[in-house]
Amino acid sequence: MSKQEHADEEERFQYEKDPDLPSNEVTQGADRAPHRAMFRAMGYDDEDLSSPMVGIANPAADITPCNVHLDDVAQSAYDAIDETAGMPIEFGTITISDAISMGTEGMRASLISREIIADSVELVAFGERMDGLVTIGGCDKNMPGMMMASIRTDLPSVFLYGGSIMPGEHDGREITIQNVFEGVGAVAQGEMSEDELEEIEHQACPGAGSCGGMFTANTMASISEALGFAPLGSASPPAEDESRYEEAERAGELVIDAIENGRKPSDFLTLESFENAIALQVSIGGSTNAVLHLLALAAEAGIDLDIETFNEISARTPKIADLQPGGQRVMNDLHEVGGVPVILKALLDADLLHGDALTVTGNTIAEEIERIDPPTIEELDEDYLYTVDDPIHERGAIRILTGNLAPDGAVIKITGEDHLHHEGPVRIFEREEDAMEYVQDGNVESGDVIGIRNEGPQGGPGMREMLGVTSAVAGQGHAEDVALFTDGRFSGATRGFSIGHVAPEAYVGGPIAALEDGDTITIDIDNHELSVDLTDEEIDERLEEYDPEPAYANGVLAKYVRDFGSAANGAVTNPGVKWD
């Protein structure tokens, strides 16, 4: 074949397409005929091959109600991409049900799943030369995992939440999975019958969707709006509401617009974006897990977000929404009055939000709020929404504690303002199960301090959430007068005096490893203190003989014993991020 004939043949296989798109590597030119043949086997045609290739990362599974409906959500996004001159390619990834694995050895897989989701989506997008992504999340670790993948690939990306479950009803009041967990503690205390607990069990989760309170899933979905990863108003529609599928269609249309305009996560993610996300988190009483995930997302994005920033923003940002677990209302209640934009507007109007932060739409967050024009909290006059001038709490819900027990920080969510100091002897446990047995046997009394260690990112591994323990304590009436702390995590559904993410963790020789039963613990929320009545020399002396064995010697958990970083930096595993 002559050079001219070869050039003519190449021209024949060139489709009208942005020459800079990564997918050209697998769709353009005569030498890519085998690649196109593979696509044609799946029903793609010339029009598809001349369009931007958009990956739809879908963690649908029958493992959890959070994700059981996501195939339908993904299909709506798929159709919108297809109709908006895109080439949609759906692929799957894993999920772990936090609620079902809670209180078991299996909960160690939860945080690891965040990393595997991020890795798997990154790998598919990289390996198949995607041009953009719609990433879908249902259960708790889906959201940060998906956004981490988008940050790593830096492809035009839209995050799409699967929506939350509707509340159940029992004795004329709304209930969620939180009520079931707390019911277990109430039964152990003799304050609830097993028959009533069974009734609550049957009524708490009436269908598909993520846990309904402002727990981790809804917190991270809300934060996706404040970060700019998701269009405003997209977090609150319930999983089984028609508007959820309209949001999926909007995500499909928006990702094509982002690709056409070359709009990538690195174009809109800034320190100001993260400060907006924190302001939203602390104003709605969001999950403590968002601290971990925001630190991880910032690390992936190369943004210098310090854990102390959460204190700084909490100090100036009041809590204005009284949602579960601290309050009684759920995400659907917020949706019915305008969703997350109602809160964002209140913060923006009070100059507590960086209005000039960009979003995936290409507009600033202030412009998007103005476009939506949500009602003000004053206009709504709802009993669970408070104005910035007359908030439920003057300071935001998240506090970072430091001291000789947590030199690198620990995290607490404040659900009340009447018990901000606690001091007493500790009862220390080496794992969650031992603490749970102690609580369920009725040993807990007012004023107790319970410490649980060896549950950190490496020591667990996987930093288990401990909703079972905290709910059992709360169910026995001790949510505000018994303190718990751990180098592991607490669920977004946790309420009460519960401190997690103690860093450094026990496994790496943090001071929590030196504790003995009877040591006096001081928790002073106003002064951001978590300390033990020991000198540095006494702590060092006790740690001299400390030489823990890894909890797992092989398999995936052993890998993460090796790879996890500190909770103070988001517990990331990506070797390329900034560690400190």
Side-chain angles (χ1 to χ4, degrees):
M1 181 183 293
S2 70
K3 287 184 178 181
Q4 183 58 52
E5 289 173 326
H6 181 76
D8 291 343
E9 190 74 4
E10 282 290 318
E11 180 65 26
R12 179 181 168 198
F13 290 104
Q14 294 298 322
Y15 298 91
E16 292 184 8
K17 192 172 182 180
D18 184 338
D20 295 326
L21 291 177
S23 63
N24 289 328
E25 296 180 36
V26 293
T27 63
Q28 299 296 291
D31 59 342
R32 293 299 184 250
H35 306 65
R36 291 192 297 274
M38 297 291 284
F39 283 120
R40 296 185 196 284
M42 296 179 285
Y44 295 104
D45 58 20
D46 289 354
E47 183 179 359
D48 295 314
L49 293 165
S50 65
S51 304
M53 185 188 298
V54 183
I56 303 173
N58 177 14
D62 293 341
I63 290 170
T64 170
C66 308
N67 294 51
V68 71
H69 64 302
L70 293 187
D71 278 337
D72 293 334
V73 174
Q75 187 63 51
S76 293
Y78 187 105
D79 292 343
I81 293 166
D82 195 35
E83 292 166 7
T84 317
M87 179 179 174
I89 298 181
E90 184 180 349
F91 61 94
T93 187
I94 68 161
T95 192
I96 297 291
S97 171
D98 282 15
I100 293 174
S101 62
M102 192 75 67
T104 75
E105 193 80 356
M107 188 65 196
R108 302 191 191 285
S110 171
L111 188 60
I112 293 173
S113 76
R114 182 191 74 176
E115 304 301 297
I116 292 176
I117 289 166
D119 290 351
S120 62
V121 175
E122 178 191 6
L123 281 172
V124 174
F126 173 79
E128 302 304 314
R129 315 316 289 155
M130 301 291 184
D131 300 320
L133 290 168
V134 172
T135 60
I136 304 174
C139 201
D140 296 6
K141 305 310 173 296
N142 298 177
M143 275 68 79
M146 292 294 184
M147 287 186 275
M148 287 163 67
S150 294
I151 291 169
R152 290 183 194 171
T153 63
D154 204 28
L155 292 173
S157 301
V158 178
F159 175 74
L160 172 61
Y161 183 41
S164 59
I165 196 170
M166 294 294 287
E169 184 175 324
H170 176 69
D171 283 348
R173 64 188 178 101
E174 291 185 346
I175 59 172
T176 68
I177 193 68
Q178 175 189 353
N179 301 95
V180 188
F181 274 102
E182 292 188 3
V184 173
V187 168
Q189 192 71 5
E191 296 180 359
M192 179 185 290
S193 69
E194 292 187 8
D195 287 344
E196 184 176 4
L197 177 60
E198 185 176 0
E199 290 177 15
I200 293 174
E201 171 194 332
H202 281 267
Q203 297 162 351
C205 300
S210 304
C211 296
M214 193 52 70
F215 310 150
T216 302
N218 278 324
T219 298
M220 292 306 299
S222 300
I223 279 173
S224 72
E225 292 189 28
L227 278 174
F229 253 121
L232 297 195
S234 63
S236 63
E240 296 182 301
D241 193 270
E242 183 60 33
S243 57
R244 172 50 54 200
Y245 299 93
E246 293 171 0
E247 291 300 335
E249 292 170 4
R250 180 158 65 135
E253 294 164 358
L254 182 55
V255 74
I256 296 299
D257 179 71
I259 292 170
E260 290 176 347
N261 289 281
R263 195 180 307 125
K264 306 182 296 294
S266 60
D267 295 323
F268 62 81
L269 287 179
T270 62
L271 180 59
E272 288 73 25
S273 306
F274 281 88
E275 290 181 348
N276 285 348
I278 295 169
L280 177 66
Q281 176 198 8
V282 303
S283 71
I284 60 177
S287 169
T288 55
N289 284 303
V291 175
L292 191 79
H293 300 323
L294 283 170
L295 289 168
L297 289 168
E300 297 280 1
I303 292 170
D304 190 9
L305 179 65
D306 188 89
I307 194 171
E308 280 295 329
T309 305
F310 290 84
N311 274 339
E312 296 167 8
I313 294 176
S314 256
R316 64 176 183 252
T317 309
K319 182 182 176 186
I320 59 175
D322 193 22
L323 301 164
Q324 283 195 16
Q328 295 301 314
R329 299 301 190 95
V330 296
M331 186 63 141
N332 184 58
D333 293 304
L334 185 60
H335 174 65
E336 289 180 348
V337 298
V340 175
V342 171
I343 308 298
L344 293 173
K345 178 178 175 62
L347 297 176
L348 180 67
D349 290 347
D351 201 26
L352 295 170
L353 212 63
H354 298 288
D356 58 351
L358 289 170
T359 74
V360 68
T361 65
N363 298 325
T364 67
I365 195 165
E367 290 169 338
E368 284 296 286
I369 291 171
E370 182 179 6
R371 182 184 64 80
I372 292 172
D373 192 25
T376 65
I377 289 175
E378 290 89 345
E379 290 169 338
L380 291 170
D381 194 27
E382 294 285 337
D383 62 3
Y384 66 97
L385 295 177
Y386 296 73
T387 65
V388 170
D389 292 333
D390 187 21
I392 183 172
H393 297 145
E394 292 290 338
R395 297 185 60 181
I398 298 296
R399 311 288 169 82
I400 306 300
L401 310 182
T402 53
N404 71 344
L405 187 51
D408 294 340
V411 182
I412 185 171
K413 177 169 66 177
I414 304 301
T415 54
E417 291 283 10
D418 56 350
H419 186 67
L420 300 180
H421 188 279
H422 195 105
E423 185 172 323
V426 69
R427 178 75 169 85
I428 194 75
F429 297 93
E430 303 300 330
R431 60 182 195 139
E432 176 190 1
E433 287 85 352
D434 296 338
M436 184 66 173
E437 182 179 354
Y438 178 83
V439 172
Q440 288 291 79
D441 285 347
N443 296 310
V444 175
E445 297 180 1
S446 179
D448 280 357
V449 181
I450 296 172
I452 308 170
R453 63 188 174 201
N454 298 310
E455 294 286 4
Q458 291 181 270
M463 215 178 173
R464 284 194 289 182
E465 290 180 3
M466 302 182 202
L467 181 58
V469 176
T470 58
S471 295
V473 170
Q476 294 178 22
H478 293 296
E480 301 298 336
D481 63 17
V482 168
L484 297 94
F485 66 89
T486 179
D487 52 7
R489 295 181 295 129
F490 290 120
S491 165
T494 291
R495 63 186 178 95
F497 217 41
S498 303
I499 302 165
H501 310 198
V502 172
E505 62 174 296
Y507 184 79
V508 299
I512 190 173
L515 294 180
E516 297 176 357
D517 286 346
D519 288 337
T520 300
I521 305 298
T522 297
I523 304 166
D524 188 333
I525 303 301
D526 285 336
N527 291 311
H528 301 156
E529 178 188 357
L530 176 61
S531 62
V532 57
D533 189 20
L534 295 172
T535 66
D536 291 345
E537 290 76 15
E538 288 172 319
I539 291 173
D540 290 341
E541 184 178 340
R542 290 188 186 181
L543 290 174
E544 283 180 3
E545 302 300 319
Y546 186 73
D547 186 23
E549 290 289 325
Y552 296 86
N554 55 55
V556 66
L557 273 73
K559 182 189 300 184
Y560 286 91
V561 171
R562 179 196 68 196
D563 289 349
F564 267 126
S566 170
N569 298 314
V572 291
T573 59
N574 183 351
V577 306
K578 180 178 178 181
W579 289 92
D580 41 49

